Amino acid sequence: SSRSKVRVQKKINNTVSGQDWPRFLGARFDGSVEQSRLSIDWKTPPVVAWSIEVGDGYGLGTVSKGRFFQLDASRQFNAVTSRLASRERLRCFDFASGAEIWSKSNSYQYSDLLGYEDGPRTSPTVVGDRVITYGVTGVLRCRDVKDGTEIWSVDTNTAYGVVQNFFGVGSSPLVLDGKVIVMVGGSPPEDQNIAPMQLDRVTYNGTAVVAFDLDNGREV
């Protein structure tokens, strides 16, 4: 939530585990890591190395090559409309110190049908020099790990006719063999005007799972 924090704890002066957590469920996609080779005195409580404020959203952060990535939503005042506007935000931090390296954000419009938070529900996926995010409105983005420059993006909700569910898009990207794989779940044109919460009337158009080229974002 907007009142949440991400806290990184350390034992003495060591924040290095020797293992990355580059995507949801970890490097092996099974929620596990190998036993650490570090010698840890578990009788001594850990202390907070650093912490960051986290905005709306449900996604966990990921770690790759000494960098921590967090996808959430921030609220910023719009001088034109005199209202707060939601922005999807991807931030990159130094994992050892917590210093922010870069931050990128994009405006979006989303309202959860059951009144839950309107932030992203997914974790960033890091592969090589690229970081992939999948926002609550179905925008799939590929950015450069070094500085956050956008390489490509695909609005899957628009491209495949996704009818909003009650919870929004919540599929963390899986990258395999040069393909970015996500659950989309689009519907045909005649279903686009079905009233909210009548999901029993929504049909499918064959896009339950879609793979995109990691290099350029084109559908595979």
Side-chain angles (χ1 to χ4, degrees), residues 24-195:
F24 180 67
L25 292 180
R28 297 183 296 189
F29 214 73
D30 60 1
S32 69
V33 295
E34 295 179 4
Q35 184 173 349
S36 173
R37 296 185 297 274
L38 300 176
S39 178
I40 298 176
D41 178 10
W42 292 108
K43 296 179 181 179
T44 304
V47 296
V48 175
W50 54 267
S51 66
I52 59 171
E53 295 287 342
V54 178
D56 286 352
Y58 297 91
L60 300 174
T62 52
V63 180
S64 177
K65 297 180 180 178
R67 295 188 174 196
F68 175 83
F69 299 86
Q70 180 69 48
L71 181 67
D72 63 3
S74 64
R75 304 293 183 103
Q76 298 181 8
F77 183 75
N78 188 317
V80 177
T81 62
S82 297
R83 300 177 63 181
L84 288 174
S86 295
R87 296 186 67 84
E88 179 184 277
R89 175 178 60 179
L90 176 64
R91 291 176 291 170
C92 175
F93 300 86
D94 182 277
F95 183 67
S97 67
E100 184 175 297
I101 299 174
W102 52 260
S103 176
K104 298 292 182 179
S105 62
N106 300 87
S107 61
Y108 72 100
Q109 290 185 338
Y110 171 79
S111 180
D112 193 279
L113 297 182
L114 295 184
Y116 289 96
E117 294 181 6
D118 62 3
R121 282 93 164 98
T122 61
S123 295
T125 298
V126 185
V127 177
D129 61 353
R130 301 192 175 194
V131 53
I132 315 295
T133 58
Y134 199 26
V136 67
T137 60
V139 177
L140 184 67
R141 297 187 194 277
C142 175
R143 296 186 181 276
D144 191 307
V145 165
K146 180 178 63 177
D147 56 11
T149 299
E150 184 174 307
I151 300 171
W152 55 261
S153 66
V154 179
D155 184 345
T156 63
N157 280 15
T158 299
Y160 298 99
V162 176
V163 177
Q164 182 178 331
N165 204 320
F166 65 86
F167 195 64
V169 174
S171 165
S172 292
L174 170 63
V175 178
L176 183 65
D177 297 332
K179 302 178 186 65
V180 182
I181 304 169
V182 291
M183 298 176 68
V184 174
S187 296
E190 56 268 25
D191 289 0
Q192 300 306 308
N193 294 321
I194 292 178

